[in-house]
Amino acid sequence: MKKSLGIHHITAIVGDPQENINFYAGVLGLRLVKQTVNFDDPGTYHLYFGNESGGPGTIMTFFPWEHAYQGRIGAGQVGSIPFAVPEGAFSFWKERLTAKEIPFTIEVRFGEESILFDDPHGLHLEKIERAHGENSALEMDGITTKTAIKGFAGAVLLSAVPHRTAHLLENVMGLENLGQDGDYLRFKAASDIGNIIDIKLTPVGRSMMGTGTVHHIAWRALDDADMDSWKGHIDSTGFQSTAVLDRNYFKSIYFREEGGILFEIATDPPGFTADEPIDALGEKLMLPEWLEEKRTEIENVLKPITIHPNDRGQ
Ligand code: ZN
């Protein structure tokens, strides 16, 4: 029986890339660990944020599609993205969100308080205090290692058929079933970050892909051999996964689960230091070899962006 280590990354569609950077780096204090393009659509950015190294379980990535329609969050998507912060960090974040004029509400699931708020493009985000998971080393603008985001607390899934998605998480992905609290089922993956997955049971409306929605959620594979083993396992359980694709910073397969959510499995290696040193992560536009010859063309269509001091890990 294979057991998933939890979330590798989550990828969402947003609008203006500078607004995206100003929020995730400037307000939330994540590090921009990679500036590259969408390999399937090289005229648009693919921006990666995370902890100091962009470790698995901390990586939030974006396709900033400025001219996309506003999407609708609904069935067949990740509905909300909870970030883990250290215990005792809640009052700091409530004050910070208030100071930045970002409205928030509080919800309790499984006895845990969660701060619910939206990003500038309509994505639903949360903060949950978690004791487990390493503290981030990033410090900036009043955020310290005692308050900084550690990575994902997990994800809240909105499935068109919640019990089929639950069956997949437990019996194919190998997550532990932690039971039900009101409207949610909870599952736990084997690592200590990006590991707590909630499935909402009440039917939600149809989703529409677009700005402010999650594109896919990726789960960890330890290495290439583990990826092959996951691919064999997924395919043998009746899902049809893609061929293994080289995403430069990891290798990936994709499959759509029965509840409509696009799942990816991504390898931990080689990671974001594959093409630039850790001190310089995210400072320059990086392109895979096969796009290097089109660099001038690509740079001419991308909107210039300014990065923040903490994007340099300072
Ligand atoms: Zn992905």
Side-chain angles (χ1 to χ4, degrees), residues 6-11 152 216-220 250 252-254 262-266:
I7 299 170
H8 181 279
H9 66 269
I10 293 176
T11 297
F152 296 116
H216 63 265
I217 179 168
W219 308 87
R220 291 174 61 187
F250 42 85
S252 293
I253 60 168
Y254 302 82
L262 184 59
F263 275 21
E264 174 182 348
I265 292 178

Side-chain angles (χ1 to χ4, degrees), residues 18-294:
Q18 191 64 56
E19 289 174 11
N20 180 245
I21 291 170
N22 292 350
F23 187 79
Y24 286 89
V27 176
L28 297 188
L30 296 175
R31 183 180 187 190
L32 178 67
V33 291
K34 194 65 64 182
Q35 275 186 54
T36 185
V37 293
N38 181 345
F39 295 171
D40 300 324
D41 178 12
T44 60
Y45 279 113
H46 192 176
L47 303 177
Y48 292 76
F49 297 83
N51 67 1
E52 58 277 22
S53 63
T58 80
I59 313 156
M60 183 72 219
T61 103
F62 298 96
F63 299 139
W65 294 345
E66 274 186 277
H67 306 293
Y69 289 103
Q70 189 67 32
R72 190 166 58 224
I73 297 169
Q77 289 179 344
V78 173
S80 177
I81 303 161
F83 291 103
V85 296
E87 287 186 303
F90 255 16
S91 53
F92 170 82
W93 282 104
K94 285 175 185 167
E95 277 170 33
R96 187 171 178 87
L97 293 175
T98 303
K100 305 276 184 190
E101 297 180 340
I102 297 161
F104 60 86
T105 56
I106 305 291
E107 184 180 284
V108 177
R109 293 195 304 270
F110 294 87
E112 284 182 318
E113 253 193 26
S114 183
I115 304 176
L116 275 55
F117 58 103
D118 284 358
D119 90 348
H121 301 114
L123 272 181
H124 295 338
L125 308 178
E126 304 183 21
K127 283 190 196 284
I128 299 178
E129 288 186 354
R130 288 277 163 81
H132 51 70
E134 254 178 72
N135 281 11
S136 167
L138 294 176
E139 296 200 309
M140 57 80 80
D141 185 31
I143 300 174
T144 68
T145 57
K146 289 191 169 67
T147 51
I149 288 174
K150 299 176 177 189
F152 296 116
V156 180
L157 307 184
L158 303 179
S159 168
V161 275
H163 284 99
R164 294 306 299 161
T165 303
H167 183 269
L168 167 70
L169 289 189
E170 187 171 2
N171 298 294
V172 179
M173 304 302 290
L175 273 62
E176 182 189 349
N177 186 338
L178 296 185
Q180 182 175 348
D181 176 35
D183 201 17
Y184 295 93
L185 298 175
R186 175 162 283 194
F187 297 85
K188 183 175 182 286
S191 67
D192 59 5
I193 197 76
N195 58 335
I196 304 291
I197 310 300
D198 291 345
I199 299 178
K200 189 173 165 61
L201 287 167
T202 303
V204 291
R206 281 181 61 169
S207 61
M208 195 169 66
M209 197 175 87
T211 305
T213 65
V214 170
H215 189 268
H216 63 265
I217 179 168
W219 308 87
R220 291 174 61 187
L222 276 179
D223 51 27
D224 288 3
D226 192 33
M227 169 63 95
D228 289 344
S229 153
W230 271 110
K231 180 168 170 54
H233 177 61
I234 297 293
D235 292 349
S236 75
T237 50
F239 295 93
Q240 283 189 331
S241 67
T242 61
V244 179
L245 301 170
D246 184 356
R247 297 316 200 180
N248 236 25
Y249 310 108
F250 42 85
K251 288 184 183 148
S252 293
I253 60 168
Y254 302 82
F255 66 100
R256 200 170 290 278
E257 58 89 37
E258 290 167 271
I261 306 166
L262 184 59
F263 275 21
E264 174 182 348
I265 292 178
T267 55
D268 287 359
F272 297 103
T273 52
D275 58 357
E276 52 186 352
I278 188 147
D279 293 345
L281 289 180
E283 289 182 16
K284 289 188 303 199
L285 180 73
M286 303 306 292
L287 295 173
E289 252 173 51
W290 70 89
L291 289 174
E292 229 7 283
E293 60 184 37
K294 292 186 175 160

